[in-house]
Amino acid sequence: MLNLIGETKQKYEVQATISSVWKEISFGDYICHSIQGDCWADRSPLHEAASQGRLLSLKNLLAQGVNVNLVTINRVSSLHEACLGGHMACTKVLLEHGASVNGVTVHGVTPLFNACSSGSAACVQLLLEYGAKPQLADHLASPLHEAVKRGHRECMEILLDNDVNIDQEAPLHGTPLYVACTYQRTDCVRKLLELGANVDLGKWSDTPLHAAARQSSAEVIHLLTDYGASLKYRNSQGKCALDLATPQSSVEQALLLRDGPPSLAQLCRLCIRKCLGRSCHRSIYQLCLPELLEKFLLYR
């Protein structure tokens, strides 16, 4: 036995005690360290492996019997981490081992939301194949809105192909089109309009045109007005889109150019597309129209 006295002996005893009790203990689906008492650890080795895309480590941990659905105190699972990192191989292994595909964190985030955040279309598709719910309740974070916000058009299209409501209005964010205009995701704006998004439905009384005017995006202004956006709508402050445009800016000029009755050709196009409904993009191809007319209706 070491002959230690005073402070040195006390320090040694504390270190020995720590060494003897430092071990990871699983309480149900949660992780904590015994040295921390009632403080929950943020992550497990499985979380780290999934987050960093270390496939071999992940497989070894699962082979050793680590619970695939282990979560942190915020209910973040390894599947959440793999999807956030866009690690498709790790995501696949976790799902094959029974990971909860619709697990929700305390902040209302699902693995599908994280996959849309990372922009991994492969992860999005895989999660849907394993039963992920593409359309979630309003109080949960919306994967579609996240994909649009980040400008991940491919993820957005996959979700829309799985019957997600294109005009879903999230309480704090508005519709996907409104989000696309707010973050100036022009490709997403164009695709949403092509697929039949309501051009005047935004966030409460704010329209997508209001959002585009605030962001000084002339290109988005042209897109919205081409698809029939009304310049007359006023928001809760009584302002129309033109009121929000910076004076003498390209946005103001774009709005002034469209501030008047549309042409007869434009009215006809809007009327035909409205009659065809949400499936207008697909239906136009099935009408066997002359090429010029087809391109006109498709804004080509």
Side-chain angles (χ1 to χ4, degrees), residues 222-243:
H222 285 301
L223 275 172
L224 293 170
T225 51
D226 279 346
Y227 278 84
S230 173
L231 278 67
K232 305 301 182 184
Y233 282 121
R234 295 184 178 275
N235 60 18
S236 58
Q237 297 174 326
K239 294 183 177 181
C240 64
L242 187 57
D243 296 329

Side-chain angles (χ1 to χ4, degrees), residues 3-296:
N3 186 20
L4 301 174
I5 59 174
E7 185 178 341
T8 304
K9 181 178 180 180
Q10 185 179 19
K11 181 178 179 181
Y12 174 81
E13 289 173 346
V14 170
Q15 289 175 338
T17 303
I18 291 175
S19 299
S20 66
V21 300
W22 179 260
K23 58 181 179 179
E24 200 172 69
I25 301 177
S26 172
F27 290 90
D29 285 340
Y30 293 98
I31 288 290
C32 82
H33 294 292
S34 56
I35 192 64
Q36 294 178 304
D38 59 351
C39 294
W40 299 100
D42 286 334
R43 300 154 74 82
S44 70
L46 192 65
H47 285 81
E48 291 294 338
S51 174
Q52 297 173 24
R54 292 189 278 112
L55 184 60
L56 183 59
S57 298
L58 188 81
K59 287 182 175 180
N60 287 337
L61 288 165
L62 292 172
Q64 292 168 17
V66 174
N67 183 357
V68 71
N69 286 314
L70 213 57
V71 294
T72 67
I73 189 61
N74 288 328
R75 300 206 64 81
V76 176
S77 69
S78 299
L79 184 59
H80 281 96
E81 297 284 13
C83 292
L84 186 59
H87 304 304
M88 193 267 194
C90 290
T91 298
K92 189 172 189 296
V93 168
L94 289 166
L95 289 169
E96 289 172 345
H97 281 77
S100 178
V101 72
N102 289 307
V104 181
T105 71
V106 295
H107 299 107
V109 172
T110 61
L112 186 60
F113 178 94
N114 279 355
C116 288
S117 183
S118 70
S120 174
C123 284
V124 170
Q125 189 65 56
L126 187 62
L127 289 166
L128 291 170
E129 289 172 5
Y130 273 82
K133 296 177 182 177
Q135 183 81 55
L136 302 174
D138 287 343
H139 68 282
L140 298 177
S142 166
L144 178 59
H145 287 73
E146 181 67 8
V148 171
K149 175 184 174 181
R150 304 284 180 182
H152 299 315
R153 181 179 139 177
E154 190 176 356
C155 295
M156 178 193 82
E157 291 187 59
I158 292 172
L159 292 172
L160 292 173
D161 284 342
N162 282 268
D163 299 323
V164 174
N165 180 7
I166 197 171
D167 290 324
Q168 179 189 3
E169 194 168 353
L172 298 178
H173 305 290
T175 63
L177 181 59
Y178 186 86
V179 172
C181 293
T182 299
Y183 289 91
Q184 301 182 67
R185 305 300 186 186
T186 308
D187 283 348
C188 291
V189 170
R190 183 178 289 106
K191 194 62 183 180
L192 286 166
L193 290 170
E194 283 180 5
L195 295 176
N198 187 326
V199 71
D200 289 320
L201 191 60
K203 179 182 177 183
W204 300 309
S205 59
D206 240 30
T207 68
L209 200 60
H210 283 97
R214 282 195 195 90
Q215 300 303 323
S216 301
S217 179
E219 185 178 2
V220 173
I221 293 288
H222 285 301
L223 275 172
L224 293 170
T225 51
D226 279 346
Y227 278 84
S230 173
L231 278 67
K232 305 301 182 184
Y233 282 121
R234 295 184 178 275
N235 60 18
S236 58
Q237 297 174 326
K239 294 183 177 181
C240 64
L242 187 57
D243 296 329
L244 300 175
T246 303
Q248 299 182 341
S249 65
S250 59
V251 167
E252 184 185 59
Q253 293 302 314
L255 289 168
L256 287 172
L257 284 172
R258 304 301 177 98
D259 190 17
S263 66
L264 181 59
Q266 171 71 341
L267 285 172
C268 290
R269 175 165 57 185
L270 293 173
C271 184
I272 292 170
R273 289 180 63 91
K274 184 177 181 180
C275 288
L276 293 174
R278 289 273 174 83
S279 62
C280 66
H281 195 69
R282 182 171 58 254
S283 299
I284 289 170
Y285 286 112
Q286 298 171 349
L287 292 175
C288 299
L289 299 170
E291 185 179 355
L292 285 177
L293 181 55
E294 182 180 277
K295 286 184 176 180
F296 175 72

